[in-house]
Amino acid sequence: MNTRILLAAVAVLAAAGCSGGSSNGGTPSGGTPTGVPSVSTSASTTPSASATPSPSPSLTPTFPTTIKATQTCATGSLSLSVGQGQGAAGTSYVSLVFTNTGSKPCTLYGYPGVSFLDAAGKQLGVPATHTGGAEGVVTLAPHGTANAQLGLPDTGNFSASGCQQATSSKLQVYPPGDYGALTISYAAAICTTAAGATSVTPVTPGSGA
């Protein structure tokens, strides 16, 4: 009787040991297998690309009238002459020709200053106004030339009071960038009023012929 009870107890204990879950490598009901790393299902966030600022638009370079050329042709190294004239729509044009009489290259930039004088050297009317053309540095080699176009309106285009005509004896020209004047004999019928003022362009290479 005692032997039967003992065998029955051993059988119960053995059955209980077989039915227990394994502590290693088991798969619990509804769980994730142990020993296998879990995978995160959250989507990785891709960092947004930083915005690249647009470059500032490049400015178109210009030739402001305040620019001064380097190695400017001084009045003492220039001679002045007047080229052959030509007419157009009530205005005649002549070339003011600057020649480099020096031994080294020099430059001119911008507008010359132009006035008409009477026989006594007194200025007639107003100086020539600036008009037309692009400004740029002009380099004159020794004996090289540059020119500006001088426009003289036809005095017949104006009334007597609107023109106040006079005849010049001399032409006084200040090369661009210099305070010394070149003066030559030049006779022309001009208006002395602002309405009938002469005009001049910036200097350009060559004699303008």
Side-chain angles (χ1 to χ4, degrees):
M1 183 68 179
N2 290 335
T3 300
R4 291 179 179 178
I5 293 174
L6 181 58
L7 292 173
V10 171
V12 170
L13 290 174
C18 293
S19 62
S22 173
S23 60
N24 293 308
T27 304
S29 176
T32 302
T34 59
V36 179
S38 60
V39 178
S40 174
T41 58
S42 62
S44 62
T45 303
T46 302
S48 59
S50 60
T52 302
S54 300
S56 300
S58 59
L59 299 178
T60 302
T62 58
F63 292 104
T65 57
T66 54
I67 288 180
K68 292 183 179 180
T70 58
Q71 300 177 331
T72 303
C73 298
T75 303
S77 63
L78 292 172
S79 65
L80 175 67
S81 60
V82 177
Q84 186 173 357
Q86 55 183 336
T91 301
S92 59
Y93 292 88
V94 294
S95 298
L96 301 179
V97 183
F98 299 95
T99 301
N100 180 8
T101 59
S103 59
K104 297 181 180 179
C106 61
T107 58
L108 292 175
Y109 176 92
Y111 295 87
V114 182
S115 297
F116 292 85
L117 308 178
D118 62 14
K122 181 180 178 181
Q123 180 173 310
L124 297 172
V126 298
T129 60
H130 296 173
T131 185
E135 295 180 76
V137 176
V138 180
T139 301
L140 280 69
H143 309 295
T145 59
N147 78 93
Q149 295 297 305
L150 178 64
L152 297 89
D154 187 342
T155 57
N157 293 338
F158 305 88
S159 64
S161 60
C163 177
Q164 298 180 24
Q165 181 176 327
T167 300
S168 68
S169 293
K170 300 176 183 179
L171 193 59
Q172 179 176 266
V173 179
Y174 291 84
D178 203 316
Y179 294 101
L182 298 167
T183 303
I184 59 174
S185 297
Y186 186 72
I190 61 168
C191 292
T192 59
T193 61
T198 57
S199 63
V200 68
T201 66
V203 291
T204 57
S207 63

